Amino acid sequence: MTEGNSLSRLDDDDYPAYTMGRAAEMLGTTPAILRGIGEARLITPLRSEGGHRRYSRYQLKIAARARELVDQGTPVEAACRIVILEDQLEEARRINEEHRTGVEPRRTADA
């Protein structure tokens, strides 16, 4: 791997750069909350060769949204479901707006 390739990962929101401990520290939460978010299938961390969880910046942004709800007293599974439903609602609104304005709807990876 060249230095240019490895440095480009610094800008990649999907690169799994963070260990569970570091991710929990960055979010101000515990590894148990991150495991719960993973078990609820809101995010699926990649695994290192040794089997350790690795998180990307994008995953941490999603986990932070769920953590805010957990901090307000929402159970982890419910918080994850809320985040998923919020994302689905936003996507539906975006598609409706594109139809309303006559713009061809963009396809997402999930579509």
Side-chain angles (χ1 to χ4, degrees):
M1 174 178 306
T2 66
E3 183 178 340
N5 287 342
S6 62
L7 290 178
S8 68
R9 291 181 178 168
L10 295 174
D11 295 327
D12 185 353
D13 279 347
D14 294 318
Y15 181 71
Y18 304 99
T19 63
M20 177 179 278
R22 180 68 178 129
E25 179 183 317
M26 290 172 67
L27 294 175
T29 191
T30 64
I33 295 293
L34 281 175
R35 278 191 294 276
I37 290 171
E39 289 169 6
R41 297 188 179 159
L42 179 61
I43 59 174
T44 304
L46 292 168
R47 297 282 183 150
S48 69
E49 288 182 20
H52 301 283
R53 291 174 180 90
R54 298 280 190 241
Y55 298 89
S56 69
R57 280 188 290 185
Y58 177 74
Q59 289 173 322
L60 295 183
K61 290 174 187 176
I62 294 170
R65 290 171 55 202
R67 192 220 49 175
E68 289 174 7
L69 293 169
V70 170
D71 288 350
Q72 295 169 10
T74 306
V76 172
E77 287 188 11
C80 292
R81 186 68 183 137
I82 289 167
V83 170
I84 290 167
L85 290 170
E86 286 174 343
D87 284 349
Q88 289 173 345
L89 177 59
E90 181 59 33
E91 177 71 4
R93 286 180 174 160
R94 185 190 58 75
I95 291 169
N96 281 341
E97 182 60 27
E98 289 174 351
H99 281 293
R100 194 175 11 254
T101 60
V103 175
E104 183 66 27
R106 293 176 298 176
R107 297 284 181 208
T108 62
D110 295 337

